[in-house]
Amino acid sequence: GKCTVCGYILSNPFLDVDSSSQYYDAVMWMYGEGITKGYNATQYNIGGECTRGQVVAFLWREAGCPSPKSGSCPFPDVNNQAYYYDAVTWANEEGIVKGYNDGTFGPNNTVTRAQFVTFLWRMEGEPKAKLKNNPFTDVSEGDFYKAILWGNGKGIVLGYEDGTFRPDDPCTRGHVALFMYRNFVK
């Protein structure tokens, strides 16, 4: 049927995402916009982990695949033949990703929930959080604090019923789709 979000006529190729799933609209938007083709031809893999290279490629595609201004990526562990090379180079130029203290990017490392919401926050220009109070018992002032509070205030990241955000947990493929959809579409 026609995707209510992206407006394209889509047949859902993913056997693991049905129309009653909380992830359905987000995944169909990502698929319809060409941000992802899925884990394989018939699976989106909602609970699977995303790497840092993958999510930066998603953000880059959402931005229209802009060409990096410079021809070289500053991270020695980002291979110039990798599908995410231009994406990481662009995202670093835009201040969306900064890499680790040792100068690497870690493209094959699993992206955490805190890292991914921080990438979104930086992509939006590091806006101030609407919230004054921190709703999460496991988030304290530090690297990701402003990004997580912004994301919660904007309704992008809701956290868990027990009052936690779980910043260091892997950001699943389902949550990556939801967070992007809530930020860029809703």
Side-chain angles (χ1 to χ4, degrees), residues 133-161:
N133 298 325
N134 176 3
F136 302 117
T137 56
D138 60 347
V139 174
S140 55
E141 297 256 2
D143 292 345
F144 307 113
Y145 185 79
K146 290 178 181 173
I148 292 169
L149 261 58
W150 163 80
N152 183 253
K154 199 174 171 202
I156 297 167
V157 296
L158 308 178
Y160 294 94
E161 288 178 5

Side-chain angles (χ1 to χ4, degrees), residues 7 9 17 33 36 48 53 62 66 85 87 101 104 111 118 133 140 149 153 170:
I9 303 291
V17 186
E33 293 292 320
T36 184
E62 196 286 328
Y85 181 83
N101 290 337
T104 63
V111 71
T118 299
N133 298 325
S140 55
L149 261 58

Side-chain angles (χ1 to χ4, degrees), residues 47-66:
E49 296 178 1
C50 265
T51 67
R52 288 165 56 89
Q54 285 170 335
V55 297
V56 173
F58 292 166
L59 295 174
W60 176 68
R61 290 175 193 145
E62 196 286 328
C65 303

Side-chain angles (χ1 to χ4, degrees), residues 1 35 40 74 77 82 86 115 129 131 141 157-158 163:
I35 295 167
N40 61 34
D77 60 340
D86 282 351
Q115 287 169 354
L131 294 175
E141 297 256 2
V157 296
L158 308 178

Side-chain angles (χ1 to χ4, degrees), residues 19-30:
S19 58
S20 65
S21 167
Q22 67 168 328
Y23 302 103
Y24 180 78
D25 284 347
V27 170
M28 286 297 95
W29 168 73
M30 297 250 305

